[in-house]
Amino acid sequence: MNETAKTPLGRAAGPRLIAIVGPYQSGKTTLLESLLARGGALQRQGKVSDGTSLGDATPEARAHQMSVEPNIACVDYMGDRYTFVDCPGSIEFLNDMRATLAACDLAIVVCELDEKKVPLLQVILRELEEQNIPRLLFLNKIDLATSSIRESLKLLQPASRAPLLLRQIPIWQNGISTGFIDLALERAFIYREHAPSTVVDLPEGELPREKEARYSMLERLADYDDTLMEELISDIEPPRDQVFDDLTKDVRGGQIVPILMGAAERGNGVTRLLKALRHESPGVAETRERLNLAAEGPPLAHVLRTMHTAHGGKLSFARVLRGSFADGASVLNSHGEEDRISGLSRLTGGSLAKVGSAEEGDTLAFGRLEHALTGQTFTEAKTNAEAPEPLAMQPTPEPIHGFALVVKDRKDEVRVAAALGKLIEEDPALVFQQDAEASELRLLGQGEMHLRVALERLSARYNVNVGARKRSMSYRETIRDAVSTRGRHKKQSGGHGQYGDVLIDVRPQARGEGFAFSETVHGGTVPKQYFASVEIGCRDGMARGPLGFPVVDVAVTLTDGSYHTVDSSDMAFRAAAKLAVTEALAKARPVLLEPILSVDVHVPTDALSRATGMVSARRGQILGYDPREGWPGWDTLKALIPEAEIGDLILELRSATAGVGTYAAKFNHMAELSGKPAEHVVAQRAHERAG
C-alpha cells in the first residue's frame, strides 16, 4: 500500500479528520457553520442563537444553547475532503472528544480573549498534548477584542505547554479589527461579511509592526531549524517555501501552536483557516505514524461516535485508518465480535449520503455494527483474523455526580434499562447502576448538566419519563459493648418439632475487620454439625441491626447451648442464632457508621480558598494541599469528606471555577456518626421501612 502522496511543500492529500475543540461558548459550532458555508456545503450560514445552525440541532442542544454531543459534518474544499467534528466545550462532556481525538489529524482550538476561560482552555489543551495531537488555535470574536494581540498572547500562553506562535496580526481601524496581516505570506487582508477576505496593500504605518511580528515568528521557527537560525543571524531573508515547510513540520510535530484569528459569525478569517488546514494539516499517513500503526496490514477503522436513530438503527461513525471497507462486508471488532456492515453513509452538509465503500482516510457512518462500541477498532472478518487492538486514548473518567432514578410510570420500568443501555453506548461517561441493597436504580456522570441532558434524551427519544432524587447512602452500624445472650427457638405443632438453643458472646471488632465467628463449645452441648447453621443465623441477624442498617465489625463466639435428639435441625439452630444476635446487638449500644471518602480536589490556585471553605462546610477534614503536578496555576486539596456531604460539591466547585474545578474520590473508611445527624438518618430509615 502506498503512503499518501505529497506535494513538494509536504501537503498531505486524501480525506482529513479535523476536531474542533475549545471552551464552552467560544464559537466552535458557529465556526463549523462558517467552514461548511465557505466550502459550499451550506447555501447560507445559520446561527446558533436563532436555532438555524446545522450543528446543535438536537432538542437538548437547542434548549440549553450549548453543544451536548459531537456535531459531525463533511465538506469538500479545493479538491480535498474534510470531516469536522465539533466537540462540546463543557468539561462535563469532555469525554465526547476523546474518541475523536484518537484518530483525528489535527484539532482547531477555538478560543476568545476571556481571562475567565483560560483554565478551561488549559484543560482542553492538556487533552491534546497528552495524545500529541497537532493543533492550531483560532482566536475567535476578534471583532470584539479590546486588548492588544501581545497582551492576548501573554494571557493565553500559560494554558499551553507548546509555544503559541502568532501566524497573523490584526489590522486595527478606530479600535476595531478590520483585517489581518499573514506573517508567513507577508500579505494584508481586509475582512468581508460572509465572504473571503480581500488582499490589499499593506496599510500605511503597518510595515514596522509586521516586520517585528514576522521576525518573532521566524525566531521561534528557528528553534527547530538550524538553517533558518543561520539565515537570521546572517540577515538573510529565508525563502517563503522554507518558512511554510517549517510551519508545516513544526505544527505536525506539535512543537508549536500557530494562532490564526477571525470572527466565525461573520465568516472572517475562515478562508485562511481552510488554507492552513489544506497545507499544514497532516493526513491519514502521518496520523497512522503518530499512532504507531503500520502502513501495511489489514483494513482498520476506529469508532469515534455511536448514534441510535429512530429509523436507521445504530450508526457507528468511524475513521478508516488503513485500507478500505465495502458495504456488506463482515468486520471483527476489538472484543473479537463479528458484525456485517449494513450501509455506508457520508455526512455532507448535515445530510447522510449513501456510498458504496469506505476508503482510507474517510470518516463515515457504518450501519448496524451492533457489537461495535465507541473507542473500539475493527478490521475485516477473514479466516484467522485477529481482533485488532484499540487505539491508545485517555480513559473514560470516573463519575463524580449522580442520583437515584424515579420511574414515574410503572409500565416504563421494563424499558428504562434498555433505553439507558443505548444512551451509554452513545456516551460511555454515563454509568448505570442497580443497587440491590437500597432497591435503587442510579445514574452517574460528570455533572448536573450531563445527567440532566441524559434524562431529557430518555424522555424525548424513548418516551421514558424518569425523575431523580438523592441517592441513598451506604450507612452501616456496629456496637460499642460486649454482651452475652441466649437464643432459643422452640416450636411444637404435631409430629417432629423444632428445637435449637445457643449461648453467644458478642463483642466489637476494630474498624474494617468485618465479621468473625468462632466456637468454644465443650461437652457436645451443641453438636458440630450445627456450627455452620449457627454462623449463618448470626449473619442473618446482622443483615439489619437495631438502627435499621447492616452490622459490621462484630465478632460472635458460640459458647454453649442445648439440643434435642429428634427436634433439633439446621433450621432450628439458624433461627436460634438469629434471635440471640438480634437481642445482643440491641443491648450492646449500637452506633451508626457513615462512609468517609478520600478526596483530591483540583482547582485553579485562585479558587483554593473557596474550595477549602466548601470542604469545611461539609464536615470535611482538610489534610493539606500541593501544587497540582504538571498543571501550572493549579492546586490539589486533599481531604476526608463524608459521602453523605459530597453530593453537590461538584456543582459548587464548577460555579466557583468557571466550570473547570473537579475532584477524584475513593472510599477510605467508616466513621461513627452520632448526635442529631445520626438521629435524622435513623428516623429517615424507619420512615422508609414504615412506608
Side-chain angles (χ1 to χ4, degrees):
M1 184 183 300
N2 294 326
E3 291 285 65
T4 306
K6 297 180 180 179
T7 68
L9 281 177
R11 182 174 70 83
R16 323 277 179 88
L17 176 62
I18 308 294
I20 303 177
V21 303
Y24 162 63
Q25 288 191 332
S26 57
K28 300 180 301 300
T29 304
T30 301
L31 179 61
L32 171 65
E33 196 81 6
S34 189
L35 289 165
L36 296 176
R38 189 60 47 84
L42 296 177
Q43 291 185 346
R44 181 176 178 274
Q45 180 175 333
K47 293 182 68 174
V48 174
S49 57
D50 294 343
T52 57
S53 61
L54 176 71
D56 289 356
T58 64
E60 299 81 31
R62 293 272 195 256
H64 299 295
Q65 289 286 292
M66 62 181 286
S67 297
V68 294
E69 61 189 359
N71 299 305
I72 302 176
C74 180
V75 64
D76 289 345
Y77 181 73
M78 297 184 70
D80 289 334
R81 175 166 295 134
Y82 299 88
T83 299
F84 294 104
V85 183
D86 165 30
C87 302
S90 166
I91 196 170
E92 297 189 21
F93 298 93
L94 197 63
N95 192 64
D96 281 338
M97 81 175 184
R98 287 178 169 167
T100 297
L101 293 181
C104 79
D105 298 318
L106 178 139
I108 302 171
V109 184
V110 185
C111 71
E112 54 187 305
L113 299 179
D114 185 345
E115 187 174 7
K116 294 180 180 178
K117 293 185 178 180
V118 172
L120 183 51
L121 176 64
Q122 183 180 11
V123 171
I124 291 168
L125 283 171
R126 187 55 48 87
E127 293 279 333
L128 302 173
E129 291 160 355
E130 291 295 330
Q131 298 193 54
N132 198 28
I133 308 296
R135 53 209 174 273
L136 56 81
L137 194 148
F138 184 76
L139 189 56
N140 195 23
K141 306 179 185 179
I142 193 67
D143 52 329
L144 305 178
T146 56
S147 58
S148 75
I149 198 67
R150 293 293 179 188
E151 291 173 353
S152 305
L153 192 59
K154 290 180 181 178
L155 176 70
L156 299 175
Q157 182 59 70
S160 174
R161 288 173 172 171
L164 301 181
L165 181 76
L166 281 176
R167 169 75 182 273
Q168 300 169 346
I169 58 173
I171 297 173
W172 301 102
Q173 185 174 354
N174 299 323
I176 298 174
S177 176
T178 59
F180 63 92
I181 300 171
D182 189 304
L183 300 176
L185 283 171
E186 295 187 279
R187 291 178 185 169
F189 297 82
I190 296 299
Y191 294 135
R192 294 193 299 155
E193 193 87 359
H194 300 296
S197 301
T198 302
V199 180
V200 297
D201 293 332
L202 199 65
E204 187 176 350
E206 292 286 357
L207 184 60
R209 196 166 70 97
E210 186 271 341
K211 290 295 184 186
E212 178 189 0
R214 175 176 165 81
Y215 190 81
S216 295
M217 179 190 74
L218 294 176
E219 276 189 315
R220 177 61 70 184
L221 294 176
D223 289 342
Y224 312 101
D225 184 344
D226 291 341
T227 301
L228 179 58
M229 177 66 76
E230 292 174 3
E231 290 171 340
L232 293 181
I233 292 173
S234 304
D235 288 330
I236 299 173
E237 181 66 24
R240 182 178 294 175
D241 286 355
Q242 179 186 351
V243 174
F244 274 103
D245 282 349
D246 279 345
L247 277 169
T248 300
K249 174 176 64 72
D250 295 346
V251 168
R252 293 179 183 180
Q255 283 102 343
I256 61 168
V257 181
I259 298 179
L260 289 83
M261 59 193 65
E265 191 163 329
R266 300 174 180 272
N268 297 156
V270 174
T271 300
R272 295 312 309 168
L273 175 60
L274 279 167
K275 289 188 176 180
L277 294 178
R278 186 168 188 263
H279 290 285
E280 294 159 31
S281 166
V284 67
E286 291 83 359
T287 297
R288 270 201 309 268
E289 186 176 344
R290 173 175 62 82
L291 295 170
N292 294 317
L293 297 174
E296 302 289 338
L300 184 70
H302 166 80
V303 181
L304 54 97
R305 190 185 173 200
T306 301
M307 283 180 60
H308 288 274
T309 63
H311 304 294
K314 180 178 176 180
L315 296 179
S316 300
F317 288 89
R319 175 90 191 280
V320 181
L321 294 167
R322 187 174 58 213
S324 62
F325 294 87
D327 189 6
S330 294
V331 298
L332 181 72
N333 68 27
S334 302
H335 288 173
E337 299 159 315
E338 286 194 29
D339 285 302
R340 183 178 296 277
I341 301 170
S342 180
L344 290 166
S345 303
R346 176 174 288 116
L347 265 175
T348 303
S351 60
L352 285 170
K354 293 286 187 181
V355 297
S357 64
E359 302 301 323
E360 186 169 284
D362 275 340
T363 303
L364 301 178
F366 288 69
R368 300 189 184 280
L369 301 185
E370 300 300 339
H371 296 98
L373 301 175
T374 299
Q376 287 187 346
T377 54
F378 59 84
T379 186
E380 276 188 321
K382 291 187 174 181
T383 304
N384 298 323
E386 294 184 2
E389 291 291 326
L391 302 185
M393 51 187 283
Q394 294 288 82
T396 302
E398 293 295 322
I400 53 176
H401 191 55
F403 44 60
L405 299 176
V406 180
V407 181
K408 297 180 180 179
D409 191 332
R410 291 190 63 85
K411 72 175 185 295
D412 287 338
E413 289 183 358
V414 178
R415 297 190 291 151
V416 167
L420 280 172
K422 291 183 178 180
L423 288 187
I424 291 169
E425 270 199 277
E426 295 182 352
D427 183 0
L430 290 171
V431 176
F432 176 54
Q433 294 178 343
Q434 294 178 287
D435 189 303
E437 179 185 321
S439 299
E440 282 182 349
L441 303 178
R442 295 175 177 176
L443 187 63
L444 311 177
Q446 296 303 303
E448 188 269 342
M449 179 61 73
H450 187 212
L451 297 178
R452 186 195 304 177
V453 168
L455 294 189
E456 291 169 352
R457 287 172 177 162
L458 277 178
S459 177
R461 297 185 188 179
Y462 303 106
N463 197 29
V464 175
N465 295 313
V466 177
R469 63 171 173 80
K470 190 175 180 180
R471 288 179 290 164
S472 299
M473 292 296 108
S474 299
Y475 292 105
R476 296 291 184 264
E477 56 182 276
T478 191
I479 57 175
R480 291 192 176 104
D481 296 340
V483 298
S484 296
T485 57
R486 180 178 291 277
R488 179 175 291 161
H489 177 73
K490 184 178 181 181
K491 184 179 288 187
Q492 192 71 40
S493 57
H496 287 303
Q498 298 181 33
Y499 183 86
D501 175 36
V502 297
L503 182 66
I504 60 172
D505 290 341
V506 178
R507 66 184 185 279
Q509 296 228 96
R511 196 73 64 242
E513 288 192 4
F515 170 72
F517 177 81
S518 61
E519 54 80 23
T520 58
V521 175
H522 298 289
T525 53
V526 177
K528 289 183 178 180
Q529 68 261 34
Y530 297 132
F531 289 172
S533 297
V534 173
E535 180 178 351
I536 294 171
C538 292
R539 292 181 183 274
D540 291 343
M542 290 193 295
R544 178 184 169 190
L547 303 182
F549 298 93
V551 181
V552 297
D553 301 335
V554 170
V556 176
T557 301
L558 173 64
T559 60
D560 202 358
S562 62
Y563 72 102
H564 189 279
T565 54
V566 176
D567 293 343
S568 288
S569 65
D570 286 316
M571 188 64 69
F573 272 98
R574 178 174 177 176
K578 181 177 180 181
L579 290 171
V581 164
T582 301
E583 181 180 343
L585 294 175
K587 291 179 177 180
R589 286 202 301 150
V591 60
L592 194 65
L593 299 176
E594 66 173 342
I596 305 297
L597 304 180
S598 174
V599 183
D600 288 349
V601 180
H602 307 298
V603 293
T605 300
D606 60 7
L608 180 62
S609 61
R610 281 169 285 173
T612 302
M614 294 174 201
V615 171
S616 298
R618 287 167 169 77
R619 298 190 284 123
Q621 176 187 352
I622 295 173
L623 304 178
Y625 62 89
D626 296 295
R628 188 179 183 186
E629 187 176 354
W631 290 74
W634 285 66
D635 285 324
T636 296
L637 175 66
K638 296 183 178 294
L640 297 175
I641 305 177
E643 185 179 9
E645 301 286 346
I646 208 168
D648 63 349
L649 175 61
I650 192 63
L651 307 185
E652 284 198 45
L653 275 176
R654 296 267 165 82
S655 176
T657 59
V660 297
T662 190
Y663 68 82
K666 61 181 179 181
F667 175 77
N668 188 271
H669 68 281
M670 301 295 289
E672 289 189 13
L673 180 65
S674 57
K676 292 292 185 183
E679 292 173 7
H680 175 75
V681 170
V682 173
Q684 179 67 27
R685 173 52 65 97
H687 176 74
E688 292 172 358
R689 297 288 187 187

